[in-house]
């Protein structure tokens, strides 16, 4: 039996072949919902699979989205990739994911290959302050920058999707202050990126407002020349930073890590130094990766609405004629067992 063709689908659905083409290429703005349903039913009944290679040659656009993340070693970006794939599947698209280690030159090379392939758009999670290499691509396909808060004067040609990073650390400080903590440390890799800078800003402002002594502990990532941002070594950077928390003259009774992977490392390091969580020191992460619930004790964290953010990013890719804008999402405090009242001195 021969493979079904687009004409067979059109005949069964009772529409023209051009309507089938519009449906397959996500051009359904003027198409009635019942027509869409009939086309989908015909496709499934016949087992029709569009010739993507031929369609790309004809339109110059592949049913593919490029996703550039700092490193899949951070489980958060693995979860982001899954969320983007789920969003893309609802629009009959696929995703190609690359780790670029926040290296602009590597991103340029990957984006050149993606453009040659004819992708619908590119999502990047590098959160770099210099987005010139991204803006150069916007004339050829939509670009969405993940984890960047849109500014009035910057990123004008790039759509942005982000959690409110300053709000995340603000909520963390407020939670700890409410428990009675008066000295709190924030542990971070080198703060070269916009999202880390926003989290530091939120931490410092919230600590000052709450009358909490806030200490910034920046982990040294210079021993990894290919990963100056520390994305591939977050656990180890957190583990090594634990000794600086314990020996700090500020004597923090709680620590906030810039993300969950680092928080898990901090937790392991504190235990190796004989500290109990939360009896001796409370601990909070950011992201709510699935390891948080398995951590001992389960980790209090700030949850990113990752699927909603992925959906927003895909929507910006699929509506390139709309002006680039920014979508900002609120974090959610997830209280587990790693935070408690401070120890009595």
């Amino acid at each position: 039996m021969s493979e079904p063709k687009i004409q067979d689908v059109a005949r069964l659905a009772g529409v023209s072949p051009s309507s089938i083409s519009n449906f397959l290429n996500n051009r359904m703005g003027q198409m009635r919902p019942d027509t869409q349903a009939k086309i989908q039913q015909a496709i499934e009944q016949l087992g029709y699979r569009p010739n993507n290679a031929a369609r790309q040659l004809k339109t110059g656009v592949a049913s593919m989205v490029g996703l550039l993340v700092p490193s899949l070693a951070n489980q958060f970006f693995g979860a982001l990739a899954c969320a983007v794939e789920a969003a893309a599947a609802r629009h009959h698209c696929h995703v190609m994911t690359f780790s670029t280690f926040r290296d602009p030159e590597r991103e340029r090379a990957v984006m050149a290959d993606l453009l040659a392939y004819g992708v619908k758009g590119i999502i990047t999670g590098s959160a770099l302050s210099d987005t010139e290499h991204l803006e150069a691509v916007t004339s050829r396909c939509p670009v969405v920058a993940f984890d960047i808060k849109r500014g009035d004067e910057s990123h004008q040609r790039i759509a942005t999707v982000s959690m409110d990073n300053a709000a995340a650390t603000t909520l963390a400080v407020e939670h700890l202050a409410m428990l009675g903590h008066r000295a709190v440390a924030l542990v971070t890799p080198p703060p070269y990126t916009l999202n880390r800078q926003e989290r530091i800003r939120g931490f410092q402002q919230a600590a000052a407002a709450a009358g909490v002594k806030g200490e910034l502990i920046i982990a040294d990532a210079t021993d990894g020349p290919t990963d100056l941002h520390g994305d591939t070594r977050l656990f180890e950077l957190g583990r090594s930073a634990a000794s600086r928390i314990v020996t700090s003259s500020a004597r923090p009774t709680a620590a906030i890590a810039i993300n969950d992977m680092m928080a898990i490392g901090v937790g392991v390091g504190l235990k190796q130094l004989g500290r109990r969580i939360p009896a001796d020191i409370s601990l909070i992460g950011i992201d709510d990766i699935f390891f948080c619930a398995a951590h001992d004790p389960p980790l209090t964290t700030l949850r990113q609405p990752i699927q909603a953010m992925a959906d927003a990013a895909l929507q910006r890719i699929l509506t390139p004629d709309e002006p680039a804008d920014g979508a900002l999402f609120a974090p959610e405090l997830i209280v587990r067992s790693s935070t408690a009242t401070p120890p009595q001195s």
Side-chain angles (χ1 to χ4, degrees), residues 74-283:
N74 182 349
Q75 197 271 324
F76 171 77
F77 288 112
L80 175 63
C82 290
V84 172
E85 287 176 1
R90 291 194 290 273
H91 297 281
H92 312 287
C93 293
H94 301 285
V95 181
M96 289 190 288
T97 303
F98 302 84
S99 292
T100 61
F101 311 106
R102 305 186 199 266
D103 179 354
E105 290 305 316
R106 183 177 176 86
E107 291 196 346
R108 282 191 184 93
V110 170
M111 289 190 296
D113 289 341
L114 290 171
L115 290 171
Y117 187 81
V119 292
K120 284 183 177 291
I122 296 171
I123 302 170
T124 175
S126 56
L128 297 172
S129 56
D130 184 357
T131 57
E132 182 180 354
H133 65 297
L134 301 179
E135 292 172 8
V137 176
T138 57
S139 62
R140 299 183 60 185
C141 77
V143 176
V144 178
F146 188 83
D147 230 0
I148 290 179
K149 182 179 178 181
R150 188 169 183 80
D152 293 333
E153 302 298 331
S154 59
H155 324 304
Q156 289 301 305
R157 292 157 55 192
I158 302 169
T160 60
V161 174
S162 179
M163 177 186 73
D164 189 334
N165 286 293
T169 44
T170 296
L171 287 172
V173 170
E174 290 174 348
H175 171 64
L176 293 169
M178 186 174 62
L179 290 172
H181 293 273
R182 311 316 301 166
V184 178
L186 176 67
V187 184
T188 180
Y192 303 139
T193 62
L194 293 174
N195 57 338
R196 293 175 186 174
Q197 292 164 13
E198 280 290 292
R199 293 178 190 185
I200 291 171
R201 181 178 66 83
F203 168 75
Q204 293 173 332
Q205 291 180 350
V212 170
K213 187 174 184 179
E215 180 179 13
L216 181 62
I217 296 177
I218 301 176
D220 182 10
T222 56
D223 60 342
T226 61
D227 179 22
L228 297 177
H229 298 275
D231 290 292
T232 61
R233 297 170 295 133
L234 292 167
F235 172 87
E236 187 56 40
L237 291 176
R239 189 167 72 92
S240 63
S243 62
R244 294 175 60 187
I245 298 172
V246 169
T247 59
S248 168
S249 60
R251 300 180 63 187
T253 57
I256 304 167
I258 207 76
N259 56 42
D260 288 337
M261 288 295 293
M262 199 162 199
I264 292 169
V266 169
V268 170
L270 289 172
K271 289 181 182 179
Q272 290 174 340
L273 294 168
R275 300 305 194 271
R276 300 165 299 164
I277 301 170
D280 297 321
I281 187 163
S282 289
L283 182 62

Side-chain angles (χ1 to χ4, degrees), residues 252-338:
T253 57
I256 304 167
I258 207 76
N259 56 42
D260 288 337
M261 288 295 293
M262 199 162 199
I264 292 169
V266 169
V268 170
L270 289 172
K271 289 181 182 179
Q272 290 174 340
L273 294 168
R275 300 305 194 271
R276 300 165 299 164
I277 301 170
D280 297 321
I281 187 163
S282 289
L283 182 62
I284 298 183
I286 298 174
D287 287 338
D288 197 28
I289 62 175
F290 68 79
F291 290 132
C292 291
H295 185 265
D296 182 24
L299 186 66
T300 295
T301 188
L302 280 302
R303 176 180 293 164
Q304 297 210 43
I306 191 167
Q307 190 60 62
M309 292 191 293
D311 292 344
L314 247 294
Q315 191 59 40
R316 301 306 300 125
I317 293 293
L318 298 173
T319 55
D321 293 334
E322 295 185 10
D325 58 10
L328 192 64
F329 292 81
E332 178 186 1
L333 177 66
I334 306 297
V335 179
R336 296 192 177 100
S337 305
S338 67

